[in-house]
Amino acid sequence: MNQYTQILYYIKSLADAEDYVSTVTNSGGLDIDDDKGNIFPIFDIFIDNASFPTNNVIRFNITLTCVDLRDTNKQETNANKFLGNDNEPDNLNETLSALFRVWGKMNNEFNELGISSDDNPQATSLLGEGKNVYDGWSLPIVVDMPIGVTLCDGC
């Protein structure tokens, strides 16, 4: 039984295929940008819980997070109070789009494989987080994976 490895590497492969994403991490719930060598945007996969609702299903609580560095223009005065002088809106748009594309691919393929997941997951914005100030979104999902399903070869 290697469902944890299967789901982790499957999601990693989807995030790696996302053009917008530069680095895929498995933070373990710690600071996403703990490694100073990370290149943004970062897509983080955190599997924080597993349970056994039936004899042949493992339920995983997974949080998918996509963030990018906030770039503040320190040389301009903030003439626009609504937009500010940084790229926060751009970060939120791009990271939400990347998260949505990964989730969409994952959800479609899950349906084909008999894996169930949340129909309506709720993303939460992350604003000015971390040591290196970043913005993005976090998406907690629940996945029920039957034992014996293969998501990736060689996992």
Side-chain angles (χ1 to χ4, degrees), residues 41-131:
I42 295 174
F43 192 100
D44 184 69
I45 306 159
F46 176 44
I47 302 174
D48 70 338
N49 192 312
S51 61
F52 310 103
T54 68
N55 286 341
N56 62 348
V57 172
I58 298 177
R59 176 173 292 153
F60 293 105
N61 291 337
I62 304 169
T63 302
L64 307 176
T65 303
C66 189
V67 295
D68 202 353
L69 281 176
R70 184 180 294 181
D71 183 21
T72 303
N73 186 345
K74 296 177 182 169
Q75 295 182 3
E76 287 184 23
T77 58
N78 190 356
N80 186 327
K81 298 295 181 193
F82 180 74
L83 293 176
N85 63 338
D86 58 32
N87 65 338
E88 176 190 313
D90 298 328
N91 284 351
L92 292 174
N93 279 323
E94 293 293 337
T95 55
L96 185 60
S97 294
L99 200 57
F100 179 76
R101 286 188 296 270
V102 169
W103 165 249
K105 289 176 194 172
M106 197 167 87
N107 199 35
N108 288 339
E109 291 180 16
F110 280 178
N111 289 334
E112 294 171 9
L113 293 169
I115 298 171
S116 63
S117 58
D118 294 332
D119 289 333
N120 186 24
Q122 303 292 310
T124 302
S125 62
L126 303 170
L127 302 172
E129 300 284 331
K131 296 173 191 165

